[in-house]
Amino acid sequence: MAQIIPFKAVRPTADKVSLVTSRSYDDYGATELAAYLEFNPFSFLHILNPAYVNQQKIGFEKRFKAVQHKYQDFKKDGILIQEDKAVFYLYEIQSKSHTFTGILAGTSVEDYQNNVIKKHEDTLQYRVELFKDYLHQTGFNTEPVLITYKDDSDLTHWITAKKKDHPIYEFSTTNKEKHILWKIEGDAEIAWLQQKFQEIGDLYIADGHHRSASSELLYEEDKHSGNENLNYFMSFLIADSNVKIYEYNRIISDLNGHSKEDFIRKVAENFVIKTKKQELWKPKHKFEFGMYFDGEFYALRLKEEKFHFDNVLSKLDAQILYDTVLKPILGIEDLRTDDRIAYIPGTKSITSIKELVDNGEYEVGFMLYPIDIKEIKAIADENLIMPPKSTYIEPKFRSGLVVYEL
């Protein structure tokens, strides 16, 4: 049984919400970031990157404290306001091709520890500890963990009906998305949602493994402080069928000493290879892989008869590519730390892979077929861990829209 709670969120005033909210800080290049900071004094980026001109000259602790001070300035100036009571939110993101709708709530650290909230990705300890320190110093988080739940007809009907209410926000952004937020504050509705998620049962992290692990670490360090907000972390709960999963493609800088002929011969041991020449080809089915190499595209089809799959992880395309090509042929041992490999999300055109290989920066690129949500859940159910950069999942949340204070 999953526990969810309402919380006293901090959020922008309605007249400034489109100016305050931003994409994730990491999405901005240096030039674009500087432009937003220069021309928009209300941007949440000012909080995330205070005194940005001198950011490289200060350590993490001072920077995190500066974030906290800037956050308090935004509250004092009335740019950000706090709810009078604990609430849930219904949140919808409309892009050109997809509409995502889910519920913003606090989810339980104990559920995370007890595997009621299930994981499928490993974490890097230094990143977990760094974000834990960030949460401790700043006292807030504005990026919810993306969590999926199994589709439920009652919940779907409730969401459809709730969207007929008047929202507290409805605004568009420069990346051509529309964002709508409804407040859920009635005691009966809150109790019904809590009961519904207890009935739904297990939840699955889709995106945000480091954020949830950092929240757990902070909880373990400070759980005797009496701060009940540490018992939960903010999550965006969305139905399994409503997430959009893209692949992460791979590009490698060299052939690990192999000649072109030797490399193709070794790949052909496990794959049927068809030359596609200049056709911008990408996989259409599981066990298919695209390859761009030496100015041409290739279609690779796994010789399934050669393999015995022990579990759901061994059948994962990203794992198969690692086991058959990246590690034994190209010598990529650690997918997280080897600087010979880079990753391109499936949201980008495969022409970006072609360009990187053609200009000599990389030697070969591989295109994968997207993972299904059923595969992700099966891996989590078996307590297995997917290879790094196996999925690029949408929706992505806007920073500064809703803030969870610790």
Side-chain angles (χ1 to χ4, degrees):
M1 298 197 310
Q3 306 173 57
I4 65 169
I5 63 160
F7 60 99
K8 288 186 177 182
V10 172
R11 55 184 177 85
T13 56
D15 64 313
K16 296 182 178 67
V17 62
S18 63
L19 295 170
V20 172
T21 64
S22 68
R23 305 194 311 272
S24 175
Y25 175 77
D26 293 334
D27 283 353
Y28 294 89
T31 302
E32 187 181 17
L33 177 63
Y36 271 94
L37 292 168
E38 183 71 25
F39 297 108
N40 181 3
F42 299 111
S43 175
F44 203 82
L45 293 169
H46 284 285
I47 295 175
L48 299 176
N49 198 353
Y52 66 95
V53 174
N54 299 314
Q55 64 169 316
Q56 302 300 328
K57 300 178 182 178
I58 60 176
F60 285 121
E61 184 175 352
K62 286 186 177 180
R63 184 177 177 184
F64 295 162
K65 287 182 178 178
V67 169
Q68 205 277 337
H69 291 153
K70 193 67 176 178
Y71 173 69
Q72 293 300 329
D73 287 343
F74 267 51
K75 291 178 70 176
K76 290 175 184 176
D77 292 342
I79 301 169
L80 299 175
I81 56 174
Q82 187 159 30
E83 297 286 2
D84 295 328
K85 63 173 288 187
V87 301
F88 291 131
Y89 297 99
L90 181 67
Y91 176 42
E92 183 164 283
I93 305 169
Q94 300 175 6
S95 68
K96 184 177 181 180
S97 56
H98 295 93
T99 296
F100 305 100
T101 311
I103 297 164
L104 281 164
T107 47
S108 167
V109 172
E110 287 189 357
D111 282 351
Y112 175 85
Q113 293 175 325
N114 295 332
N115 212 31
V116 174
I117 298 175
K118 299 190 174 185
K119 314 94 179 165
H120 67 262
E121 286 186 5
D122 207 354
T123 55
L124 294 173
Q125 190 60 28
Y126 83 90
R127 284 186 58 189
V128 171
E129 292 182 359
L130 181 62
F131 193 65
K132 181 268 298 180
D133 291 341
Y134 171 88
L135 295 175
H136 179 73
Q137 295 286 348
T138 64
F140 73 86
N141 180 34
T142 187
E143 292 190 32
V145 176
L146 182 64
I147 290 181
T148 70
Y149 60 86
K150 66 181 180 182
D151 285 66
D152 181 274
S153 58
D154 289 342
L155 198 48
T156 300
H157 292 150
W158 176 85
I159 288 173
T160 300
K162 188 66 181 178
K163 286 165 61 175
K164 295 177 182 178
D165 290 354
H166 186 73
I168 58 172
Y169 297 144
E170 186 171 4
F171 64 98
S172 296
T173 56
T174 54
N175 60 341
K176 299 181 179 179
E177 289 180 344
K178 186 176 182 180
H179 299 260
I180 311 173
L181 191 74
W182 294 264
K183 188 192 295 188
I184 306 164
E185 57 184 337
D187 292 341
E189 278 187 307
I190 288 173
W192 183 83
L193 282 172
Q194 290 178 308
Q195 178 62 36
K196 176 55 64 176
F197 275 94
Q198 286 183 357
E199 295 170 1
I200 286 173
D202 292 342
L203 305 176
Y204 295 81
I205 296 177
D207 189 25
H209 286 79
H210 284 89
R211 275 166 273 157
S212 50
S214 298
S215 296
E216 180 198 20
L217 187 58
L218 183 62
Y219 165 80
E220 287 296 334
E221 289 188 1
D222 295 345
K223 61 184 177 182
H224 300 299
S225 65
N227 182 0
E228 293 189 0
N229 287 350
L230 297 177
N231 299 347
Y232 299 87
F233 53 89
M234 182 170 64
S235 294
F236 185 44
L237 303 160
I238 189 168
D240 289 343
S241 62
N242 198 202
V243 295
K244 177 63 178 175
I245 305 173
Y246 296 90
E247 72 280 8
Y248 252 116
N249 300 310
R250 281 93 163 101
I251 48 177
I252 294 87
S253 60
D254 61 72
L255 297 183
N256 195 32
H258 296 293
S259 66
K260 174 184 176 180
E261 294 75 16
D262 186 43
F263 173 67
I264 292 291
R265 179 181 61 79
K266 287 182 176 294
V267 172
E269 292 176 4
N270 292 309
F271 296 89
V272 176
I273 303 178
K274 292 185 179 180
T275 304
K276 295 294 183 177
K277 298 188 182 295
Q278 295 303 307
E279 178 186 349
L280 296 173
W281 191 86
K282 62 188 301 185
K284 300 176 178 62
H285 304 282
K286 186 173 173 58
F287 298 146
E288 288 183 346
F289 301 82
M291 183 172 73
Y292 184 71
F293 172 58
D294 198 29
E296 292 186 329
F297 285 91
Y298 296 85
L300 311 181
R301 175 71 191 182
L302 185 70
K303 297 177 180 178
E304 295 178 53
E305 68 278 3
K306 293 188 62 176
F307 294 85
H308 172 72
F309 299 114
D310 298 324
N311 53 41
V312 64
L313 179 61
S314 65
K315 296 172 64 175
L316 200 69
D317 283 352
Q319 187 68 41
I320 290 169
L321 185 66
Y322 176 74
D323 290 337
T324 59
V325 178
L326 299 183
K327 182 178 179 181
I329 301 175
L330 296 177
I332 304 291
E333 294 284 344
D334 192 327
L335 292 169
R336 291 186 179 276
T337 61
D338 197 316
D339 59 8
R340 296 169 54 232
I341 187 169
Y343 303 90
I344 306 293
T347 52
K348 293 189 176 181
S349 170
I350 59 174
T351 57
S352 61
I353 295 175
K354 181 180 185 299
E355 290 169 359
L356 288 167
V357 173
D358 286 346
N359 69 20
E361 189 173 350
Y362 292 88
E363 190 78 16
V364 61
F366 294 96
M367 288 72 76
L368 283 72
Y369 186 70
I371 293 171
D372 186 85
I373 186 65
K374 293 179 181 178
E375 291 181 282
I376 292 176
K377 294 178 71 171
I379 287 170
D381 286 339
E382 294 185 22
N383 295 315
L384 299 171
I385 299 298
M386 292 198 313
K389 300 292 186 182
S390 291
T391 58
Y392 181 90
I393 299 180
E394 290 184 342
K396 300 297 184 186
F397 201 80
R398 287 186 75 80
S399 295
L401 180 65
V402 175
V403 180
Y404 182 88
E405 290 194 335
L406 300 169

